[in-house]
Amino acid sequence: MRSNDSATATVTIAVSTPAAAGQDTPTAAAAPARGTLVGRGALLAALGVAAFSLTFPATAWGLEGMGPWTVVMLRSVLAAALAGGALAVFRVRLPERRHWVGIAVVAGGVVLGFPLLTTLALQTSTTSHAAVVVGLLPLTTAACSAVRTGARPSRTFWIASLVGAAVVIGFAVQQSGGAPGRGDLLLFAALLVCAAGYTEGGRLARHMPGWQVIGWALVLALPMTVAGAAVALSTEPLRLTAHAIGGLLWLAIGSQFLGMVAWYRGMAAIGIHKASQLQLAQPLLTMVWSVLLLGEQLPPAAPVAALAVLACIAVTQRSRG
């Protein structure tokens, strides 16, 4: 009887294989395709991180000729004009009603909250110091993703993430003299709202293209940002220098729109928690830009921290889950 069952099972497997060809059954040919998708997703997420790494230097440039509220509101208005134009040209339909709460979280986190809090922090913190504190964002995003989406990364992932976060925290404490200031408190608040916005955006990017996620978030916030820009322009000083204009344009086009498009697409492809760990490299990239563009001094411990963080990124990307 057992031999008959075995024979029958063997025949069944042989017959069912071609029948399942049109279904989502894993095949040998699907493995390379999956690998290509993951690789493309990692590349897109890395491009997003590269765009974000210029955000703080660009903000510092913008603050040379504008007040903090002017910088934040104008960058959002300009990005919304770009995104809204794209949505209109491609005649994109309104998102389903069930997605609007998530879009509102994205708007509150990455369109308004994070830019405003970090811009205010940069009035008292250097860009390199702020970048290191924001290095906690990957761990915060992974934790938020685990709570919101039920993702369960492996133990190896969490250990590597915690080690990377510890390196970043240690570096920040060493650079700040051991005591957090007002700027650090603003940056920690920025971490929380940004992690929520990243998590919701990555989740929504599984249901709609990434550029539409950030596009609708920018459009949703437009009434508030237009009003805020009008008030800021009437109350804060404005001096249009080359640095101020260049910084504002990068914030609007690169950081607020194109960078978010690549970032959300990457998160949708490789998972929120894995994409978030690529941001461990962002503080180190920002410090390089701070030296090249702002003339800040690179701390001696930065290369050591860079190697440690890159090793943690490699572990998180190879871990299961």
Side-chain angles (χ1 to χ4, degrees):
M1 186 68 176
R2 291 182 179 178
S3 62
N4 289 339
D5 291 343
S6 300
T8 304
T10 303
V11 173
T12 303
I13 292 172
V15 172
S16 62
T17 300
Q23 301 176 0
D24 294 331
T25 304
T27 63
R34 173 60 182 169
T36 301
L37 178 63
V38 171
R40 187 178 302 165
L43 176 60
L44 286 169
L47 288 174
V49 170
F52 300 154
S53 70
L54 279 161
T55 298
F56 286 174
T59 300
W61 273 9
L63 289 173
E64 291 181 11
M66 309 174 196
W69 289 89
T70 302
V71 171
V72 173
M73 295 303 165
L74 282 184
R75 69 178 273 185
S76 297
V77 169
L78 292 175
L82 178 62
L87 291 169
V89 167
F90 291 103
R91 299 181 180 179
V92 178
R93 294 182 179 180
L94 288 171
E96 298 178 25
R97 183 179 299 177
R98 62 192 177 99
H99 294 323
W100 278 108
V101 173
I103 292 173
V105 173
V106 174
V110 302
V111 175
L112 295 173
F114 185 79
L116 178 59
L117 291 168
T118 54
T119 300
L120 292 173
L122 284 173
Q123 292 187 296
T124 56
S125 297
T126 64
T127 58
S128 56
H129 177 79
V132 173
V133 175
V134 173
L136 288 173
L137 184 57
L139 182 61
T140 310
T141 302
C144 187
S145 172
V147 172
R148 179 67 178 89
T149 67
R152 293 293 180 267
S154 66
R155 182 179 300 178
T156 301
F157 175 91
W158 285 116
I159 292 174
S161 300
L162 288 169
V163 171
V167 171
V168 169
I169 293 173
F171 187 84
V173 170
Q174 188 267 335
Q175 292 300 307
S176 63
R182 174 178 174 271
D184 291 325
L185 297 178
L186 290 170
L187 291 170
F188 288 138
L191 293 177
L192 298 178
V193 297
C194 190
Y198 279 173
T199 299
E200 285 302 309
R203 186 184 64 82
L204 288 170
R206 297 174 181 173
H207 304 282
M208 66 181 78
W211 73 273
Q212 293 181 22
V213 174
I214 187 61
W216 287 117
L218 286 163
V219 170
L220 181 63
L222 189 58
M224 186 179 299
T225 54
V226 167
V231 173
L233 286 170
S234 65
T235 57
E236 291 183 334
L238 180 65
R239 187 165 55 92
L240 296 180
T241 65
H243 274 187
I245 295 173
L248 181 63
L249 289 178
W250 177 260
L251 290 172
I253 300 172
S255 298
Q256 194 78 76
F257 186 63
L258 295 180
M260 294 302 302
V261 170
W263 179 240
Y264 282 145
R265 287 192 65 182
M267 282 200 294
I270 66 176
I272 296 172
H273 59 282
K274 281 199 172 184
S276 69
Q277 298 313 298
L278 291 173
Q279 279 199 305
L280 284 169
Q282 185 174 321
L284 306 167
L285 290 173
T286 297
M287 283 190 289
V288 172
W289 293 125
S290 298
V291 172
L292 296 177
L293 300 178
L294 303 176
E296 295 184 2
Q297 296 295 318
L298 189 66
V304 178
L307 291 175
V309 166
L310 291 175
C312 293
I313 292 175
V315 173
T316 60
Q317 296 307 300
R318 292 178 66 86
S319 65
R320 293 182 298 106

